[in-house]
Amino acid sequence: MRRSDMEEIEYLLEEDPNEAAALCERIVEDMPDDADAWAWLSEAQLATGAYEDALKSLGECALRDPDWIEAYTRRAELMADLGRFDAAEVELEVARALDSEDPRLTWAQAIALELAGRFEKADELYGRAGEMDPTYMPPPRFDRTRAKQAINRVLKDAGKDGLKLNAQFEEIPNKGTAKKLLSRGLELRDSTTVIVYLRNLERQLDAEAELTDLEGLFEERLAALVEAN
């Protein structure tokens, strides 16, 4: 792929993911044997919420570059995000066979374990990934009492502006019923209750984030949720 194409895709992923996906599709049509083109297409599809298409594109990428471990770790993360934990483990096994000490594998294993509800083991692997590579630093973990107090402060302030919501706190969505587990930071249970998935919010923050950062992220996500509904 040309560097100019990659730069344009990066720009469009921020500004217009649908246009990014359309551009990537054109590039794939022109260069169907280019593994990088398929990888970029998967990123664009993921940005538009087309998870199944992203999985297929990563599969095409792996066919063209079977030694690229990230094709398998990304598929594992997406499979786990969709609640398909057995399928995620298959992808992780392939990645292990390529390089059992790669931090991308350790991170993907952590995500799969976390979404399966195995929090202690997941946090151990997040920490190990950070030790392997500083770009994979573990998510912050806030004291739950203080985190709930911080989020309730935001809701109290929102109530002054007429938004009357109570918070129900959970660590992650119920893996037995929900899809796209990673991306569900908040959701409205009904007109009076917002469900807050604390571990999903924490995962969106830098390792050195403070409680005020959690408040800010919650406020931002709450505004988007209310606008969407």
Side-chain angles (χ1 to χ4, degrees), residues 112-161:
L113 287 167
E114 183 175 36
L115 295 181
R118 298 176 61 187
F119 302 142
E120 184 175 346
K121 183 62 176 177
D123 286 344
E124 177 187 330
L125 290 182
Y126 278 131
R128 190 181 303 171
E131 292 171 359
M132 292 176 173
D133 184 339
T135 61
Y136 288 92
M137 293 304 292
R141 294 290 177 232
F142 300 106
D143 174 83
R144 287 303 183 246
T145 298
R146 295 182 63 212
K148 292 174 182 179
Q149 289 172 343
I151 285 171
N152 281 324
R153 281 196 297 270
V154 175
L155 289 175
K156 183 177 180 180
D157 288 342
K160 297 174 184 177
D161 297 324

Side-chain angles (χ1 to χ4, degrees), residues 18 21 25 41-57 78 82 180:
N18 288 311
E25 287 172 357
L41 177 57
S42 72
E43 288 299 312
Q45 290 166 331
L46 183 58
T48 66
Y51 277 44
E52 297 295 342
D53 290 337
L55 283 169
K56 291 176 183 177
S57 294
L78 290 177
L82 294 169
K180 298 186 180 179

Side-chain angles (χ1 to χ4, degrees), residues 44-187:
Q45 290 166 331
L46 183 58
T48 66
Y51 277 44
E52 297 295 342
D53 290 337
L55 283 169
K56 291 176 183 177
S57 294
L58 283 168
E60 295 290 344
C61 179
L63 285 174
R64 289 156 179 81
D65 188 357
D67 293 328
W68 189 49
I69 194 170
E70 197 163 340
Y72 307 103
T73 59
R74 291 291 288 144
R75 277 177 59 85
E77 290 175 17
L78 290 177
M79 290 289 191
D81 201 358
L82 294 169
R84 302 175 193 168
F85 296 103
D86 290 342
E89 183 56 32
V90 172
E91 302 294 332
L92 291 172
E93 282 295 336
V94 177
R96 286 189 196 101
L98 289 174
D99 185 353
S100 62
E101 298 301 320
D102 193 298
R104 291 169 292 187
L105 168 62
T106 304
W107 185 267
Q109 290 174 313
I111 286 178
L113 287 167
E114 183 175 36
L115 295 181
R118 298 176 61 187
F119 302 142
E120 184 175 346
K121 183 62 176 177
D123 286 344
E124 177 187 330
L125 290 182
Y126 278 131
R128 190 181 303 171
E131 292 171 359
M132 292 176 173
D133 184 339
T135 61
Y136 288 92
M137 293 304 292
R141 294 290 177 232
F142 300 106
D143 174 83
R144 287 303 183 246
T145 298
R146 295 182 63 212
K148 292 174 182 179
Q149 289 172 343
I151 285 171
N152 281 324
R153 281 196 297 270
V154 175
L155 289 175
K156 183 177 180 180
D157 288 342
K160 297 174 184 177
D161 297 324
L163 181 63
K164 303 295 185 182
L165 284 173
N166 297 309
Q168 175 182 319
F169 295 96
E170 298 183 16
E171 293 295 317
I172 59 169
N174 184 325
K175 63 181 182 297
T177 58
K179 297 297 179 78
K180 298 186 180 179
L181 308 175
L182 279 169
S183 59
R184 295 160 74 95
L186 311 176
E187 64 180 318

